[in-house]
Amino acid sequence: PDTYEGSDPGDDEQSMASRLVISEDQTHNWCEQNDPDWFSFEAEAGQELEFTASPTGTSAAAVMYLYDSDGVTLLGENHPADNESDAVLSWTVPADGIYYLQLVPRENDVFGTDATYTIGFIAASTANPGSVICGSVTIPAILGAVLYGAKTVKEKKKKAAKRPGWR
């Protein structure tokens, strides 16, 4: 068992769900055949979240199910393309609360200490400050200079056209 299994039933049941925190990945393994793993996380209305489950061990891809605060209502799911692919789910939080993820192995006969995966999530609004600066300041500044330069050339042609003998 992985460190999240704890005492029986471990993270195999929703009531014992492992707590996920934004930007902090956890590594789990499929401990036994048909091993479900449950996770809980807090979220605020309007947050755009992206969950990723990545196989790190042999054919350990996970199918991901997202449940509402009631733990019953299915809000979304993702089935990876194959046993080596990530499951990725993007979601906008409808209301403040605690929500649940359930991961199950894509293939039920994949289990054991080598059947490992990582699970984590990020807020989609998390951006590299360098990208923001480049995207919102540098490019408009460059475009502004180009547009200003184009306007200046156009204005010069207008002025020249008004003078007799100028082309």
Side-chain angles (χ1 to χ4, degrees):
D2 59 40
T3 58
Y4 299 96
E5 289 299 325
S7 61
D8 197 33
D11 63 0
D12 294 350
E13 292 187 9
Q14 189 180 48
S15 63
M16 300 295 288
S18 298
R19 181 88 166 172
L20 284 177
V21 178
I22 289 179
S23 300
E24 291 183 16
D25 291 352
Q26 294 180 8
T27 300
H28 290 254
N29 70 296
W30 304 121
C31 300
E32 51 193 51
Q33 195 167 13
N34 299 316
D35 180 30
D37 286 341
W38 281 92
F39 304 89
S40 66
F41 61 94
E42 284 187 57
E44 296 176 1
Q47 279 184 305
E48 294 179 17
L49 303 177
E50 182 177 279
F51 300 88
T52 304
S54 302
T56 55
T58 308
S59 300
V63 176
M64 184 184 306
Y65 298 98
L66 173 64
Y67 290 92
D68 201 352
S69 296
D70 64 9
V72 177
T73 306
L74 183 64
L75 300 174
E77 61 187 277
N78 184 274
H79 299 257
D82 56 48
N83 290 341
E84 303 301 325
S85 295
D86 292 349
V88 179
L89 182 65
S90 297
W91 175 63
T92 302
V93 181
D96 293 0
I98 295 176
Y99 294 87
Y100 299 93
L101 278 178
Q102 182 192 40
L103 273 64
V104 297
R106 185 176 182 275
E107 297 292 334
N108 288 328
D109 59 348
V110 173
F111 60 96
T113 56
D114 293 334
T116 57
Y117 67 90
T118 59
I119 176 68
F121 72 110
I122 60 169
S125 59
T126 303
N128 179 344
S131 299
V132 172
I133 291 171
C134 180
S136 64
V137 176
T138 308
I139 291 174
I142 291 169
L143 288 176
V146 171
L147 293 175
Y148 176 77
K151 184 178 177 184
T152 304
V153 170
K154 192 174 183 179
E155 285 177 19
K156 285 181 182 177
K157 285 184 179 180
K158 264 186 168 178
K159 285 182 183 178
K162 291 182 181 178
R163 295 185 187 158
W166 288 76
R167 294 182 191 223

